[in-house]
Amino acid sequence: MVKTTAPSPRSRRRVDVREWMGGIRVSGFAFIMLGLVVLAACVLVPSVSTYLDQRAQIAALEESVRVSQEEVDALSAEREQWRDPAFIMTQARERLYYVRPGEVVYLIDDDLPASALPDDPAAVSSDVERTRTDWMSQFVRSVVTSGSARTAATGP
């Protein structure tokens, strides 16, 4: 029976980096290929980013063309409606209140139901007050003062 024991920390071998690097042999061909890959990456990265930016711009422009086309379609449909004499007559009646000769139109100002009307407003004042000055003399004084002023006074 073979007895195996785990190596103790003191018996572990230290790895020398110089020895490990010495074991790796890089041929000239591998070095040239690595250089070409790095060069290709440096050349292609700006081109790829430019391509992606241009694709984003194209997508945004296609979206704006789609929105504009929807607006054109809506305006074309509206133009077709305005070519119909019945639609024009309906619009003139509704918007401008035009009527045919002999027709009677009734306009209802308060067409709200009673529940939507506001409650009776409270009285502003229960007392009637009398002014201390005569309104005519106050008016004349105001006209004379404003006519003789050299500069315009700002309001309160």
Side-chain angles (χ1 to χ4, degrees), residues 70-80:
E70 288 175 358
E71 290 176 3
V72 166
D73 293 342
L75 290 174
S76 296
E78 185 177 346
R79 184 184 65 200
E80 290 302 318

Side-chain angles (χ1 to χ4, degrees), residues 77-95:
E78 185 177 346
R79 184 184 65 200
E80 290 302 318
Q81 281 183 334
W82 282 103
R83 288 185 178 173
D84 183 19
F87 180 77
I88 293 172
M89 186 183 309
T90 303
Q91 292 299 315
R93 286 173 172 264
E94 288 177 3
R95 293 183 184 183

Side-chain angles (χ1 to χ4, degrees), residues 2-57:
V2 178
K3 190 175 184 186
T4 58
T5 59
S8 67
R10 291 185 179 188
S11 66
R12 282 189 194 161
R13 204 172 111 193
R14 295 183 95 192
V15 177
D16 188 16
V17 175
R18 283 180 279 160
E19 182 181 322
W20 182 77
M21 288 296 291
I24 297 175
R25 297 204 174 146
V26 179
S27 68
F29 178 74
F31 185 71
I32 290 172
M33 290 307 291
L34 181 64
L36 286 175
V37 168
V38 170
L39 180 66
C42 291
V43 169
L44 291 178
V45 165
S47 300
V48 170
S49 67
T50 302
Y51 171 76
L52 293 176
D53 289 342
Q54 289 175 348
R55 291 303 305 168
Q57 287 177 350

Side-chain angles (χ1 to χ4, degrees), residues 131-142:
T131 58
R132 297 177 192 256
T133 59
D134 182 28
W135 70 270
M136 187 62 171
S137 63
Q138 185 70 23
F139 174 72
V140 170
R141 188 178 312 123
S142 174

